[in-house]
Amino acid sequence: MKQLIQIIFFAIAAVFAGFVMADADPDVPPPDKAAGINLSDPEVVQKGMNMLSSTGGGYCHGAEGRGFKAPSLRNRTDLSVDSLRTIILNGRNRAGKLMPP
């Protein structure tokens, strides 16, 4: 279960970064702020995209995190890496909209 949570977190973190691949981009958090994940590495981002597309996250948030049945995850300024981790681990029920853990 813990490994599945880490995989899903990894996928969402890659989407949260907006698939930006430039090393110097100030919008991409450094690995120490992204659970040790280097979101500037194109291979890491591709792996996250593949994981998102193959899980329920892809069904709800769209294969590229652009939104489908749930909100878009791309370029969100209202979510931090820590809040994403908490939401993925605990789920969310806001304004009558449920996201299971």
Side-chain angles (χ1 to χ4, degrees):
M1 182 65 165
K2 184 178 178 181
Q3 184 179 15
L4 176 61
I5 290 169
Q6 288 174 332
I7 289 170
I8 293 171
F9 173 73
F10 178 77
I12 298 299
V15 171
F16 177 67
F19 304 108
V20 178
M21 297 181 196
D23 286 329
D25 192 317
D27 294 330
V28 177
D32 65 321
K33 299 287 186 186
I37 301 167
N38 181 359
L39 297 174
S40 295
D41 182 339
E43 289 181 28
V44 169
V45 173
Q46 186 59 50
K47 186 175 180 180
M49 286 180 63
N50 293 343
M51 288 180 184
L52 179 71
S53 297
S54 66
T55 66
Y59 174 77
C60 292
H61 294 284
E64 294 183 356
R66 295 184 188 278
F68 180 59
K69 293 185 176 280
S72 173
L73 296 172
R74 295 172 73 90
N75 301 315
R76 297 278 301 265
T77 58
D78 61 324
L79 297 173
S80 68
V81 172
D82 289 335
S83 68
L84 283 171
R85 182 170 170 45
T86 299
I87 293 166
I88 292 166
L89 288 172
N90 302 315
R92 185 179 203 171
N93 189 359
R94 185 157 98 187
K97 296 184 178 184
L98 174 68
M99 182 185 136

